[in-house]
Amino acid sequence: MAGVMDSVNQRTQLVGQNRLELLLFRLAGNQLYGINVFKVKEVLQCPKLTLLPKLNPVVRGVAHIRGGTLPIIDLNKATGGAGLSDLSTAFVIITEYNYRVQGFLVRSVERIVNMNWSEIHPPPRGTGRDHYLTAVTRVDEKTVEIIDVEKILAEVVPTVETISSGVIDERTQAEAVSRKVLIVDDSSVARKQVARCLQEVGVEIVALNDGRQALDWLKEIADRGEDVSKHLLMMVSDIEMPEMDGYTLTAEVRNDPRMNKLHIMLHTSLSGVFNQAMVKKVGADEFLAKFKPDELAKRVIDRLHALRDATGA
C-alpha cells in the first residue's frame, strides 16, 4: 500500500474548507466502508499476530510494528459479524484516536476519495449495521458506511468516564445550575460521555448531532433577538461531523455578529499536531483531545469562574 497516504501537510489544506478525505475499505462482504484519513497513520499487509491471554474477543492479537506493540481489532467482528478468516491477504489500518494507536483489521483497502462534509449524512434508520454507523455517503453510486470507531473503542478499551473527587466544589455546582452548554457530536457514545461529565459539573445540556443542526439551532436563538453568548455558557464541538464539520461551524459562528462572542471549545479524537494551529485559524477559543473527563470538567469550571470574575459575582 505504499503511496496510499498523502502527507499531513497536504491533507491539512482541506481543513476549514468543510472537506475531508476518506480511505475506503471492505470487511467480509462487498459493502464499502470509510475512515477519515486524518486518523490513519499507515496501511500495511496484515503482519504476524501474537495471541495474548485475556484479550477482548474482537482483538485478533497484537502486532510488533515500528518498535511498538499494537492491538489489532477485527472490524468485522467488532461490528457484529464473523471474524475475518484469511489473514494472509488481509490489511491492517494503523490509526490514532485519543492519543491511542491501534490497528483495524480489514479484508481489503481500496483508495482515498476527497469529499465535502456536506456529502456525508447521518445514517438512515435500518441501514446495515446502524448500531455502529455514524454517517453514510455515496461514491461512484455506491453507499459508503462510516463506522462509529469511538463506540467500538469504548467497548474494546473502556475509558474512565467519571470526574475525580475534588474537581468540582459545591459553589461551582450551584453556579452551574443556571448555565447551559451546547454539545455537538455525531457519535452517540461521545455525546453521552460529554453529557454525563458536564451534568456532574451541574450545567444544563443541549446535545445535537452535527454542525448543520447546531448552526441552525444557534440561528434560531439569534433570530429571536437573544444574545447567544449569554444564552450559552459555551459550545463543545467535535470536529468530524456529517453535513458540516466543527471547523466550518466555528467559522460560521465567528462570521455572524449575533453570535460571534460565543465561547467555543473544539473537542475531538483527532490528536494530530495541526489542531492548535487550526483552532486559531477558524477562531475557536480552545482545543481539547477526547476523552479526559477531569480536564473537560476543569475547562467548563474555568469558564464558569471567568464569568464570575467578569461580573464580580
Side-chain angles (χ1 to χ4, degrees):
M1 294 304 297
V4 73
M5 304 304 300
D6 291 337
S7 72
V8 170
N9 285 338
Q10 288 175 317
R11 297 201 304 275
T12 54
Q13 299 307 308
L14 302 175
V15 176
Q17 301 176 31
N18 209 40
R19 300 195 68 82
L20 78 159
E21 285 182 324
L22 286 178
L23 175 64
L24 304 182
F25 60 91
R26 299 181 195 270
L27 298 178
N30 291 323
Q31 175 62 50
L32 273 174
Y33 296 90
I35 187 172
N36 192 335
V37 170
F38 270 125
K39 302 287 182 68
V40 179
K41 296 171 69 69
E42 188 176 0
V43 178
L44 66 161
Q45 196 108 29
C46 183
K48 180 180 178 181
L49 302 182
T50 302
L51 294 176
L52 295 178
K54 299 182 179 179
L55 287 176
N56 186 292
V58 305
V59 179
R60 298 293 294 269
V62 297
H64 303 282
I65 300 171
R66 310 281 182 259
T69 302
L70 308 179
I72 306 301
I73 298 169
D74 189 325
L75 269 189
N76 198 61
K77 196 169 185 179
T79 54
L84 294 180
S85 56
D86 187 1
L87 300 191
S88 65
T89 59
F91 287 86
V92 170
I93 304 173
I94 307 297
T95 65
E96 182 176 357
Y97 284 80
N98 310 338
Y99 295 103
R100 289 179 176 170
V101 179
Q102 57 278 307
F104 292 131
L105 184 68
V106 301
R107 179 169 62 86
S108 64
V109 174
E110 303 290 315
R111 60 193 172 102
I112 289 173
V113 292
N114 185 309
M115 305 192 72
N116 193 293
W117 274 109
S118 64
E119 301 173 82
I120 313 294
H121 306 291
R125 293 183 181 277
T127 302
R129 299 169 187 174
D130 54 3
H131 187 54
Y132 287 94
L133 293 187
T134 188
V136 296
T137 189
R138 291 188 67 80
V139 175
D140 298 334
E141 302 304 317
K142 297 178 181 177
T143 298
V144 175
E145 298 183 352
I146 301 173
I147 295 173
D148 188 347
V149 176
E150 291 179 65
K151 177 176 175 61
I152 290 172
L153 292 178
E155 294 176 353
V156 176
V157 190
T159 58
V160 175
E161 296 187 6
T162 55
I163 300 170
S164 301
S165 176
V167 172
I168 312 167
D169 57 48
E170 291 183 4
R171 181 181 179 185
T172 296
Q173 286 183 315
E175 293 173 347
V177 170
S178 61
R179 300 293 184 178
K180 186 182 296 183
V181 173
L182 172 62
I183 299 169
V184 193
D185 203 304
D186 64 314
S187 168
S188 61
V189 167
R191 283 197 309 275
K192 290 174 183 176
Q193 286 176 333
V194 176
R196 281 194 293 265
C197 176
L198 300 192
Q199 283 165 350
E200 282 192 63
V201 176
V203 295
E204 182 183 345
I205 299 300
V206 176
L208 299 175
N209 295 357
D210 60 66
R212 175 59 63 190
Q213 276 188 21
L215 184 62
D216 290 344
W217 186 81
L218 291 169
K219 284 183 175 180
E220 285 179 10
I221 296 171
D223 288 344
R224 296 198 300 263
E226 293 186 49
D227 186 332
V228 173
S229 64
K230 291 182 178 178
H231 187 88
L232 291 170
L233 175 69
M234 62 192 298
M235 177 171 71
V236 180
S237 176
D238 187 21
I239 290 176
E240 293 184 284
M241 294 182 290
E243 307 289 353
M244 178 182 289
D245 68 16
Y247 291 128
T248 305
L249 170 61
T250 301
E252 289 285 341
V253 170
R254 289 292 180 253
N255 288 332
D256 190 326
R258 302 174 302 168
M259 61 180 77
N260 60 11
K261 293 180 181 178
L262 176 63
H263 189 92
I264 300 173
M265 180 171 74
L266 294 177
H267 185 233
T268 177
S269 57
L270 288 170
S271 47
V273 295
F274 65 89
N275 272 309
Q276 293 294 347
M278 288 312 307
V279 165
K280 184 178 293 187
K281 177 179 176 180
V282 300
D285 295 284
E286 52 185 325
F287 162 81
L288 180 64
K290 295 177 181 175
F291 173 65
K292 303 173 183 176
D294 283 0
E295 184 60 31
L296 177 58
K298 288 175 183 176
R299 298 289 184 95
V300 176
I301 291 168
D302 286 346
R303 180 68 184 145
L304 284 166
H305 290 175
L307 287 181
R308 176 207 298 170
D309 295 341
T311 58

